[in-house]
Coordinates of all heavy atoms in Angstrom, one line a residue:
P13 N 28.4 -5.1 -33.4 CA 27.3 -4.1 -33.1 C 27.6 -3.3 -31.8 O 28.3 -3.9 -31.0 CB 26.1 -5.0 -32.9 CG 26.7 -6.3 -32.7 CD 27.9 -6.5 -33.3
P81 N -7.3 6.0 -23.5 CA -7.2 4.8 -22.6 C -6.2 3.8 -23.1 O -6.2 3.6 -24.3 CB -8.6 4.2 -22.3 CG -9.5 5.2 -22.8 CD -8.8 6.1 -23.7
L106 N 22.6 0.7 -33.6 CA 23.6 -0.4 -33.0 C 24.3 -1.1 -34.1 O 25.4 -1.5 -34.1 CB 22.6 -1.4 -32.2 CG 21.9 -0.8 -31.0 CD1 20.9 -1.6 -30.3 CD2 23.0 -0.5 -29.9
S111 N 27.3 2.7 -29.6 CA 26.7 2.5 -28.2 C 25.5 3.6 -28.2 O 25.7 4.7 -28.3 CB 27.6 2.5 -27.1 OG 28.3 3.8 -27.0
L114 N 19.8 4.4 -23.6 CA 18.4 4.6 -23.7 C 17.9 4.9 -22.1 O 17.9 4.1 -21.3 CB 17.5 3.5 -24.2 CG 16.0 3.9 -24.3 CD1 15.6 5.2 -25.1 CD2 15.3 2.7 -25.1
G124 N 8.6 0.3 -17.3 CA 9.3 1.2 -18.1 C 9.1 1.0 -19.6 O 9.0 -0.1 -20.2
C151 N 10.0 8.5 -3.6 CA 9.0 9.3 -3.0 C 8.8 8.9 -1.4 O 8.5 9.8 -0.6 CB 7.7 8.9 -3.8 SG 7.6 9.6 -5.4
R195 N -4.5 11.5 -14.1 CA -6.1 11.6 -14.4 C -7.0 10.6 -13.5 O -8.2 10.7 -13.5 CB -6.4 11.3 -15.8 CG -5.8 12.4 -16.7 CD -5.9 11.9 -18.3 NE -5.1 12.9 -19.0 CZ -5.7 13.6 -20.0 NH1 -7.0 13.4 -20.4 NH2 -5.0 14.4 -20.7
A237 N -1.0 14.9 -10.9 CA 0.0 15.1 -12.0 C 0.2 13.7 -12.4 O 0.1 12.8 -11.8 CB 1.3 15.7 -11.5

Side-chain angles (χ1 to χ4, degrees):
L106 296 167
S111 59
L114 182 53
C151 288
R195 292 170 188 235

